[in-house]
């Protein structure tokens, strides 16, 4: 056979190269950055191509994409109504659903009875599944931590934070995305000396627990390398803390807010961000806060605070739902009414503010998920729009925009979609309360 034909035949035998997965909250490195090559520069005139869509129940759970499958959580229950902020007790079932990555066809589902007890915004699960090897880990609104087989959905072990650890139920349910670190899965739980708990990820046994707080909050735990140590950062309602992820030993803690009088119910939600040696967090009530991490040992000093005696006058970036992005010494994030702001990381100084991404109008609890990709950003708005934009200290410049899913969830007189997208295999996967869609972003 001629050499050219041999090469062609061999090419058909080699499976196509897989793109990057998005196996957990905030992506492969848990830093909210999309690194794939071959992504389009702008959307076609008729919008990006929808690869597939599949029916889904309600929830905030973002999808995880790993090993050829999509994992997402939802809830099957009676409709919530038009006042979701009012705490309610509602029966229903939570589910973990596994779909084929390329077709959207259901591979398996795992469901369990789950009555929501006085939960505000009781639409469904809040957290993104975490996939590691042949196991997928999920955390439900009422504290159901589960380890399932990725291929079948069969439970390997389960824990319930209320029944097994006597933890108090947060106002907005358990919403902090668990963190897998080696043989541990680390969760915000709640209760005396167990604000954070590390479980054996293979068996479910408690390995260690640490910290006490009135409210655990909702900010996901993260691990950063600083001061010659791997530091587990836990931000709860009264302080920011650094722990040894292997033992739970506390390295340092810093009060936040400074007078330790947090607004109740407390709203630590954003994921802590590290850029260089600066650790940054932000909340609507207490404003932005920057810590400088020591280079030689696990210590931290306050760099600056955006504080005021009146929380309505707090300066700088005041995130509510959104986690900000940091690039080239500048912070880009969303405030309570949807204002997109750019601030200097070193000082907190605000450089500009824009509402262009949401039509130039303030919207209560308006938000967008901001994902850096090379020299531009992808913004997924709560109206269901995906935007390609240039964000710089000079301002906001929109490159392209497309509606990729409908906003279906009632909130403050408008419908929203508050689910973090997954960017994997040159596609975006996103869900609302009725369906999940896969859209191609291949160049």
């Amino acid at each position: 056979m001629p050499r050219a034909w041999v090469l062609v035949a061999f090419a058909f035998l080699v499976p196509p190269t897989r793109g990057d997965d998005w196996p957990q909250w905030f992506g492969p490195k848990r830093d909210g950055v999309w690194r794939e090559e071959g992504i389009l520069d702008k959307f076609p005139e008729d919008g990006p191509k929808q690869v597939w869509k599949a029916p889904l129940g309600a929830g905030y759970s973002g999808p995880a994409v790993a090993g050829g499958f999509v994992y997402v959580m939802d809830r099957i229950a009676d409709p919530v109504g038009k006042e979701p902020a009012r705490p309610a007790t509602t029966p229903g079932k939570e589910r973990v659903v596994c779909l084929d990555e390329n077709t959207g066809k259901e591979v398996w589902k795992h469901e369990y009875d789950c009555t929501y007890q006085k939960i505000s915004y009781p639409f469904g699960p809040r957290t993104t599944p975490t996939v590691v090897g042949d196991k997928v880990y999920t955390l439900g609104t009422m504290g159901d931590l589960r380890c399932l087989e990725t291929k079948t959905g069969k439970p390997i072990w389960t824990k319930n934070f209320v029944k097994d650890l006597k933890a108090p139920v947060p106002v907005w349910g358990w919403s902090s995305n668990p963190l897998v670190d080696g043989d541990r899965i680390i969760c915000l739980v709640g209760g005396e000396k167990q604000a954070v708990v590390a479980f054996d990820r293979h068996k479910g046994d408690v390995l260690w627990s640490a910290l006490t707080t009135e409210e655990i909050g909702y900010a996901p735990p993260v691990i950063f390398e600083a001061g010659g140590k791997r530091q587990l950062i836990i931000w709860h309602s009264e302080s920011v803390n650094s722990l040894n992820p292997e033992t739970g030993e506390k390295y340092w803690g810093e009060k936040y807010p400074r007078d330790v009088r947090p607004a109740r119910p407390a709203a630590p939600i954003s994921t802590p961000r590290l850029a260089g040696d600066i650790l940054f967090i932000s909340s609507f009530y207490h404003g932005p806060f920057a810590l400088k991490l020591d280079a030689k040992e696990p210590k931290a000093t306050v760099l600056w605070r955006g504080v005021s005696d009146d929380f309505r006058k707090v300066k700088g970036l005041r995130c509510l739902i959104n986690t900000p992005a940091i690039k080239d010494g500048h912070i880009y994030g969303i405030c309570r009414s949807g204002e997109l702001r750019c601030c200097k990381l070193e000082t907190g100084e605000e450089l500009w503010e824009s509402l262009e991404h949401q039509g130039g109008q303030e919207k209560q609890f308006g938000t967008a998920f901001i994902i850096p990709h090379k020299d531009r950003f992808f913004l997924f708005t709560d109206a269901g729009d995906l935007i390609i934009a240039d964000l710089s200290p000079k301002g906001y410049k929109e490159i392209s925009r497309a509606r990729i899913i409908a906003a279906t969830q009632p909130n403050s007189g408008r419908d929203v979609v508050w689910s973090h997208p997954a960017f994997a295999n040159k596609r975006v996967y996103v869900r609302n309360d009725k369906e999940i869609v896969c859209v191609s972003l291949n160049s």
Side-chain angles (χ1 to χ4, degrees), residues 376-379 387-391 396-400:
R376 73 273 178 79
F377 293 78
F378 281 81
L379 282 71
I387 298 171
I388 304 174
D390 175 27
L391 305 183
Y396 172 92
K397 180 181 178 182
E398 189 165 305
I399 299 169
S400 196

Side-chain angles (χ1 to χ4, degrees), residues 277-279 289-292 300-305 345-347:
D277 59 359
I278 299 177
L279 179 67
F289 182 35
L291 292 159
K292 193 174 186 66
T301 55
V302 176
L303 185 60
W304 54 264
R305 297 175 185 259
L345 178 60
E346 285 282 351
T347 63

Side-chain angles (χ1 to χ4, degrees), residues 399-413:
I399 299 169
S400 196
R401 176 191 294 249
R403 177 67 52 87
I404 60 171
I405 199 168
T408 57
Q409 192 178 101
N411 172 71
S412 303

Side-chain angles (χ1 to χ4, degrees), residues 90-104:
T90 57
K93 294 179 182 290
E94 285 190 338
R95 306 190 307 174
V96 184
V97 181
C98 175
L99 306 172
D100 184 278
E101 170 195 279
N102 292 310
T103 66

Side-chain angles (χ1 to χ4, degrees), residues 187-206:
C187 303
L188 295 193
V189 174
E192 185 71 21
K193 296 182 180 180
Q194 58 176 34
V196 55
V197 177
F199 301 88
D200 183 308
R201 76 174 183 89
H202 303 291
K203 300 178 181 179
D205 299 334
V206 172

Side-chain angles (χ1 to χ4, degrees), residues 43 47-52 386 404-405 424 426-430 437-442:
F43 300 130
K49 178 184 176 182
Q50 185 179 102
V51 181
W52 54 259
L386 187 63
I404 60 171
I405 199 168
K426 301 181 183 181
R427 300 168 177 172
V428 60
Y429 302 78
V430 66
V437 301
C438 169
V439 173
S440 174
L441 301 178
N442 193 339

